Amino acid sequence: MYLHIGKEYVINNNDIIGIFNLDYIKNTKEYKKMYELLESEKSIINVSKSQEKTFILTESNGVKKGYLTNIGASTIGKRKM
């Protein structure tokens, strides 16, 4: 199954490692370290038209990607079911 995360982006549900509310994680050292690593690998995709609310971490074929979207984490979580 696929999950629409904003604009024309859809991701495979099986690839999702986690869906995170940015309000809770954006100031943690773990998120900052992960973000810097993904950014250095050019693996951050911003699908937000405005302020980012959610960070989605995926892995497919050994490649991790981070998606930033303005859709709330709880809304995305409901879509995933």
Side-chain angles (χ1 to χ4, degrees), residues 18-28 30-32 34-35 38 44-48 50-57 66-74 76:
I19 301 170
F20 306 96
N21 184 326
L22 280 174
D23 286 339
Y24 297 118
I25 69 164
K26 67 183 172 187
N27 292 320
T28 65
E30 293 84 3
Y31 171 73
K32 290 176 183 178
M34 182 184 345
Y35 185 90
L38 291 171
I44 293 286
I45 300 153
N46 191 336
V47 297
S48 178
S50 58
Q51 183 181 11
E52 299 90 8
K53 294 180 181 177
T54 304
F55 176 75
I56 304 167
L57 181 62
Y67 294 87
L68 296 168
T69 181
N70 62 334
I71 300 170
S74 61
I76 290 175

